Amino acid sequence: MPPLLSSAIALPARNQHLLLLQSSSAQTCLPILRAVVEHASERTRETTVLFCFLYPPSSFLEASNESRENVRVFDRTGHVPGYGDEDEKMLKDVALEAVQSAPPGPITVVIDSVDTIFSDNGSPSETIRLLAELLALVRARGGTSRLVLHVVSPSPLLPLLTQTRFSPTLTQLIAHPTALLTHIAAAYSTPPPPLTAPEKFWGLFIPFSERAYESERLVFGAGGEGSGLQEFAVEVLVRGPGADGAARRRGVERVLEGWSPAQGGPCELRDLDGLQSLWSKKLVPETWQSAPDPTQNLSFNLNLTPEQQRSRAQVPLPYAHEGKPVEQARAPAAILYDPDSADDLDDDDPDEDLDI
Amino acid sequence: MFPPVDLPLPAEILVITDELSAPADFLLHRHLVDNLKNSSNAKCVLVAVSEDLGRWKSLCQRSNLNLSQYLDSGVLSFVDVMRHTSSSLNGETDASLRSLFWELKKQITVSSENSHVPVSVILDNIASLEWMGILTLDLTRFIRALSALCRKNNASLVIRHHITTSGERDDILRHLLQLCTYHLDVFPLSSGRSGSVSGQVALHCGPGTTKPTHRLIPRSAAVQYRLTDSGSVFFDRGTGSGVL
């Protein structure tokens, strides 16, 4: 069974119309977004509409691919409120017109930064309304059409986008730094599945990973490597039927997979270099049974030859009475006590009058 | 060789962060001196918030660079941010950043149109603007607009930001890190001050950077540096005795 991540990127399922990519300041998910855009642009029968609000289009597409007929790029990185032309068209009109005017057939609409739209209009409801309208247009196209959104957590839009009211089906990819998994394995003795039971692992991992400051501390604090690591772990969450349409999924399926450029993109967790220490079996040395022998591996010889042992045995020991009992006057053991003036010495038994 | 010579390239954004005990002034001076000395037809725009021109002149004098000569010839432009923002300390902060932006736009577009010369913009620093009371939202919009402007005109942009609490990221820095192509991370030794090592430098790439052209350096393998009278000396961990 192919990993969920690679199928989410390259083989969109017919009913999964919303793909949500979640980054954090500790770990970005943009390499996956780039892979999604590249795969979508290569499907020449489908249209790809890319809206760039924060990151330049070159972050997602090679310059040669930008000019493909089935790819339409809207670079709105320079459209900052207060710094542009006042009579430019409203974003909502531009976005809806771009999707509606695309050629018929499946469509992939990619928005590189939902938070930037929210920051510009300042209203979560207006942002969600725009995204809901785009999603409705995408869903109407059917087939493998998808709305791909990128969010940087913590964001007030995340809980709104993950609700079933916004979209009953959802594929969510959350990027986590590998330092998070090694920390949980070391501090809580809970390495990722299958080394630990999934219920135990998720019960610990989900609340820990939702606290953004914990991941930031692990990445940017003392002992952290800093951001920008090329390899990371991806939490894949699928709600509703997935790419393998035969399996009717109930509820939500959640797995942890990996992303590594060296492995060509999606990979298993165990293929990540940063996590190799979790998978290697450590042999516990049996020190309690045999203490390490200090006489081994020395540059000089501590052993004795038989002649040396014989001459050692002939050396008289300084303690002359070894082995012989000490002869002394056998006096009976007794305690001699002289009472002083304050002592009330009475030979009678004080407990005589007790009647128990 | 560290730091790499072509960092940043035109249309790239480099964010330099430093801390109180390991300031990155030497990197900015090095970048300015390299730009002015090595490229014959370069143009630099120096946008200074906290340090005035006199200090830059005296520091460049140590590298045998006469800033006045470059200022007179127009190769170097000096923009004093306080001229724009002093009015904002009383009232709305957005207008001052916008006037600063329009001046920078004039400087950058004129030089790129005239002679197709690569422009290098150095903004030192963003943190002081935040400490002065300018709103985070206004600053993030300014940074976005400036980044888009530099990218559109093929200018390289270097932004310095101070980290106040080691290990913590404030909102401005989170935003800067999303926008940057590369991030030079200057931080002190974890064991405290040392006479022979002034600090360490790591190089990270930004989220939008797909194929980094420079060798990335994580914090655990950071290059150490020592400040000297004439500049700085870089060496790998543990090799200090060969250099110092």
Side-chain angles (χ1 to χ4, degrees):
Chain A
M1 183 179 147
L4 280 179
L5 179 58
S6 54
S7 56
I9 294 171
L11 306 165
R14 297 191 80 81
N15 293 326
Q16 287 283 344
H17 294 297
L18 179 61
L19 176 61
L20 182 62
L21 282 89
Q22 181 179 329
S23 301
S24 60
S25 57
Q27 185 58 58
T28 181
C29 205
L30 276 189
I32 300 183
L33 183 57
R34 183 186 170 95
V36 169
V37 173
E38 275 179 357
H39 279 277
S41 67
E42 278 163 16
R43 293 195 287 269
T44 48
R45 300 243 178 110
E46 296 180 11
T47 315
T48 302
V49 181
L50 172 64
F51 290 99
C52 292
F53 292 102
L54 191 65
Y55 310 99
S58 55
S59 300
F60 306 109
L61 283 172
E62 305 280 339
S64 54
N65 290 345
E66 273 184 59
S67 52
R68 275 194 184 167
E69 271 188 37
N70 62 324
V71 176
R72 303 170 76 183
V73 179
F74 292 84
D75 184 2
R76 291 186 66 92
T77 51
H79 294 241
V80 184
Y83 292 89
D85 302 324
E86 295 305 324
D87 57 348
E88 60 186 30
K89 284 170 82 172
M90 295 272 299
L91 164 66
K92 187 169 165 174
D93 299 331
V94 172
L96 295 176
E97 190 193 322
V99 177
Q100 281 160 344
S101 62
I107 190 172
T108 304
V109 180
V110 180
I111 296 184
D112 76 330
S113 176
V114 172
D115 305 296
T116 308
I117 303 179
F118 169 53
S119 156
D120 286 349
N121 62 33
S123 159
S125 58
E126 197 181 313
T127 313
I128 293 293
R129 208 173 302 133
L130 167 63
L131 295 174
E133 288 186 37
L134 282 173
L135 183 60
L137 285 175
V138 163
R139 207 182 272 131
R141 295 258 182 154
T144 52
S145 300
R146 274 206 294 197
L147 176 63
V148 182
L149 304 176
H150 175 245
V151 190
V152 179
S153 81
S155 166
L157 296 174
L158 258 176
L160 302 171
L161 289 171
T162 50
Q163 279 179 4
T164 48
R165 210 171 102 185
F166 183 76
S167 172
T169 59
L170 169 69
T171 304
Q172 189 177 4
L173 307 176
I174 309 171
H176 296 291
T178 49
L180 183 63
L181 291 172
T182 49
H183 173 77
I184 291 180
Y188 297 93
S189 303
T190 313
L195 295 172
T196 321
E199 306 79 34
K200 181 183 173 200
F201 176 77
W202 290 117
L204 186 62
F205 179 81
I206 292 173
F208 196 92
S209 63
E210 280 174 358
R211 296 194 291 262
Y213 59 86
E214 298 272 13
S215 299
E216 281 188 10
R217 188 178 50 84
L218 289 171
V219 171
F220 299 115
E225 294 285 15
S227 59
L229 286 182
Q230 305 288 299
E231 280 190 346
F232 52 93
V234 185
E235 183 185 339
V236 183
L237 215 147
V238 181
R239 186 172 72 208
D244 52 345
R248 282 211 44 146
R249 203 172 280 109
R250 285 171 191 249
V252 169
E253 182 171 347
R254 197 189 291 256
V255 294
L256 262 186
E257 294 181 11
W259 176 274
S260 168
Q263 308 276 337
C267 63
E268 297 284 345
L269 265 189
R270 55 168 69 233
D271 296 329
L272 294 179
D273 288 338
L275 298 181
Q276 288 302 317
S277 57
L278 298 179
W279 304 96
S280 59
K281 287 196 180 152
K282 290 172 215 153
L283 291 167
V284 178
E286 294 183 347
T287 50
W288 61 274
Q289 277 187 352
S290 57
D293 189 5
T295 59
Q296 300 301 317
N297 301 325
L298 289 172
S299 59
F300 47 88
N301 189 7
L302 282 179
N303 299 318
L304 294 175
T305 62
E307 291 85 21
Q308 287 169 338
Q309 279 189 347
R310 215 179 305 122
S311 29
R312 273 193 67 169
Q314 287 164 356
V315 171
L317 294 174
Y319 184 55
H321 300 291
E322 181 184 15
K324 297 177 209 160
V326 176
E327 291 171 11
Q328 59 187 7
R330 295 194 186 275
I335 298 173
L336 306 169
Y337 175 64
D338 286 326
D340 56 7
S341 58
D343 195 10
D344 177 18
L345 192 67
D346 187 0
D347 285 331
D348 296 336
D349 185 6
D351 293 332
E352 264 181 352
D353 55 352
L354 267 184
D355 186 17
I356 299 171
Chain B
M1 178 171 155
F2 191 84
V5 177
D6 49 352
L7 177 74
L9 284 170
E12 285 185 352
I13 298 166
L14 172 68
V15 169
I16 301 180
T17 55
D18 59 1
E19 299 184 20
L20 189 60
S21 40
D25 301 42
F26 67 101
L27 283 174
L28 291 173
H29 302 145
R30 201 182 172 106
H31 178 75
L32 178 67
V33 164
D34 285 345
N35 257 301
L36 291 176
K37 266 190 181 173
N38 297 338
S39 1
S40 53
N41 56 349
K43 169 128 170 76
C44 265
V45 180
L46 180 55
V47 187
V49 179
S50 41
E51 288 182 4
D52 66 348
L53 186 58
R55 183 165 153 80
W56 280 94
K57 278 185 180 172
S58 60
L59 281 162
C60 289
Q61 205 61 44
R62 301 244 181 126
S63 310
N64 295 326
L65 200 73
N66 187 0
L67 271 196
S68 312
Q69 173 193 338
Y70 290 96
L71 282 166
D72 294 333
S73 64
V75 171
L76 173 67
S77 309
F78 184 81
V79 177
D80 185 4
V81 175
M82 292 312 295
R83 243 183 338 110
H84 297 270
T85 56
S86 49
S87 60
S88 73
L89 297 176
N90 307 326
E92 52 170 62
T93 61
D94 194 23
S96 57
L97 285 178
R98 265 182 272 152
S99 75
L100 172 65
F101 175 77
W102 296 122
E103 178 168 349
L104 289 177
K105 185 171 181 180
K106 205 169 41 171
Q107 301 262 359
I108 295 170
T109 49
V110 160
S111 60
S112 71
E113 274 166 12
N114 281 352
S115 47
H116 301 285
V117 159
V119 182
S120 172
V121 182
I122 302 175
L123 172 55
D124 178 30
N125 58 71
I126 278 287
S128 300
L129 290 173
E130 190 189 6
W131 298 338
M132 280 199 297
I134 297 184
L135 298 175
T136 307
L137 180 62
D138 294 336
L139 271 176
T140 50
R141 285 181 178 172
F142 170 72
I143 294 167
R144 267 172 63 197
L146 183 60
S147 306
L149 174 71
C150 288
R151 209 180 301 122
K152 191 173 149 195
N153 290 282
N154 221 30
S156 69
L157 176 61
V158 177
I159 302 180
R160 170 154 77 151
H161 181 73
H162 295 310
I163 292 179
T164 44
T165 313
S166 175
E168 284 184 17
R169 294 295 181 261
D170 51 79
D171 290 336
I172 298 273
L173 182 57
R174 284 197 194 105
H175 194 81
L176 279 172
L177 291 180
Q178 291 297 316
L179 279 173
C180 72
T181 319
Y182 291 102
H183 168 209
L184 264 178
D185 185 8
V186 182
F187 57 105
L189 288 177
S190 56
S191 47
R193 293 180 71 90
S194 156
S196 43
V197 179
S198 309
Q200 313 180 73
V201 187
L203 177 61
H204 312 293
C205 74
T209 313
T210 46
K211 294 186 183 79
T213 47
H214 304 290
R215 184 177 65 94
L216 300 179
I217 302 171
R219 284 174 77 121
S220 59
V223 173
Q224 296 180 337
Y225 68 91
R226 183 180 176 212
L227 298 175
T228 60
D229 284 338
S230 57
S232 49
V233 171
F234 294 89
F235 46 92
D236 284 325
R237 230 167 243 223
T239 63
S241 56
V243 178
L244 299 172

